[in-house]
Amino acid sequence: MEVDRKSFIASPRSKARVPPSSEERADALEEAMMKELAKPAVRRGTGLIFGGLTPGGLPLALAALAPMPPQPTIVDFFKLRFMPHTVTHMLQSANDARKKGESEETVLACLLHDIAVNLIKVDHGWWAAQMVEPYVSEKVSWAIRHHQALRFFPDPSAGYGYPERYIQIFGEGYVPEPYIKAAYEQARKHKWYMEARMITVHDLYAFEPGVNPTLEPFIDVIGRHFKQPKEGLGFDGSPVAHMWRSLIYPDNPL
């Protein structure tokens, strides 16, 4: 970050009835530079709860967060931590899966597939799968992990085409990184391929303006297929507890 010293010194606020001393000018310049440094700046991959941009590049206004209960459940995170527009998207995805007769595990996978974008957007499929791995079946976590790669590759037989929205986000003619293609090719041969593919299908139809499903119809599905730790997410000593705590305490400086 650079402050144009000549422009600052020539600006109206630097002029006074009595010409400022060199020391006063230095102090004023330092103050201006500190104000510039204080301006928020984020990278596009920063998680939404930390003020990151939306995948489309739009800024989000941050608001004060409500305190979490001592033993938070996944439902508490939906209500108190996940950003509202991501909750709406995941609920639309799960609702589409339920309406079209998918299994409860597929519905749950759709409900959870984007939870990591609140923490970090880059490779969010891998992050989300890791976050839920101790609490869901291997099939559900596998499907969530691999939807990350599959979403870039159409499968007309499953009713999935390349999303128009990705052209807006990534640009015309975008070619995914080699590791994404490798993950897709590996998943294509896997016995659970269609589990992950169905997440992308219901993901595609989960951007409907004005459609706002509630979490309540999915509470029983969560209860049957999500192993809620009695200590609360973030406090059960699992290898991923710190990820949940990062969402509980996003304002902690260290």
Side-chain angles (χ1 to χ4, degrees):
M1 190 281 301
E2 292 185 5
V3 173
D4 188 330
R5 288 168 167 76
K6 290 182 179 178
S7 297
F8 172 76
I9 292 170
S11 68
R13 64 179 175 171
S14 73
K15 297 175 181 177
R17 294 181 184 277
V18 178
S21 68
S22 58
E23 185 176 344
E24 288 172 333
R25 288 193 178 199
D27 289 343
L29 179 60
E30 182 179 0
E31 181 183 353
M33 293 175 70
M34 291 300 293
K35 286 180 179 177
E36 286 293 319
L37 285 170
K39 289 182 179 178
V42 295
R43 295 188 182 276
R44 289 190 67 177
T46 305
L48 298 176
I49 201 170
F50 300 100
L53 304 174
T54 68
L58 298 175
L60 286 172
L62 296 185
L65 294 169
M68 292 285 277
Q71 298 167 313
T73 68
I74 186 66
V75 172
D76 292 320
F77 280 89
F78 267 89
K79 292 181 176 179
L80 300 173
R81 283 300 180 270
F82 299 157
M83 300 300 278
H85 74 285
T86 66
V87 171
T88 297
H89 168 66
M90 291 185 292
L91 287 173
Q92 283 193 12
S93 179
N95 194 49
D96 191 63
R98 189 182 58 155
K99 287 194 304 183
K100 292 175 180 173
E102 302 290 359
S103 71
E104 286 195 347
E105 284 190 307
T106 299
V107 170
L108 181 68
C110 290
L111 185 65
L112 301 175
H113 76 281
D114 273 355
I115 61 170
V117 300
N118 297 279
L119 188 63
I120 186 170
K121 294 191 289 294
V122 179
D123 282 346
H124 70 276
W126 276 274
W127 281 82
Q130 190 173 359
M131 287 176 71
V132 302
E133 210 153 22
Y135 316 112
V136 300
S137 71
E138 184 181 355
K139 183 195 292 185
V140 169
S141 63
W142 190 94
I144 292 173
R145 178 175 292 108
H146 288 86
H147 96 274
Q148 164 81 33
L150 266 57
R151 65 203 176 107
F152 289 107
F153 299 92
D155 185 345
S157 69
Y160 180 76
Y162 189 81
E164 187 71 27
R165 192 163 180 266
Y166 285 5
I167 297 175
Q168 300 167 4
I169 294 173
F170 297 99
E172 192 80 44
Y174 173 75
V175 177
E177 298 290 336
Y179 78 93
I180 293 284
K181 185 177 181 184
Y184 161 72
E185 290 173 347
Q186 178 192 41
R188 197 73 178 83
K189 303 169 187 173
H190 199 278
K191 63 181 178 179
W192 290 332
Y193 165 73
M194 286 307 295
E195 298 294 331
R197 175 53 75 193
M198 284 301 103
I199 295 179
T200 69
V201 168
H202 300 297
D203 201 7
L204 190 64
Y205 297 103
F207 294 94
E208 299 181 68
V211 177
N212 298 293
T214 65
L215 186 60
E216 276 57 42
F218 305 102
I219 298 295
D220 288 345
V221 173
I222 292 171
R224 285 190 286 271
H225 299 282
F226 191 94
K227 302 169 195 153
Q228 172 66 40
K230 66 181 186 301
E231 303 90 344
L233 289 168
F235 306 107
D236 58 332
S238 79
V240 302
H242 63 286
M243 296 183 180
W244 296 96
R245 287 198 304 271
S246 296
L247 292 172
I248 295 171
Y249 305 116
D251 293 321
N252 282 2
L254 291 172

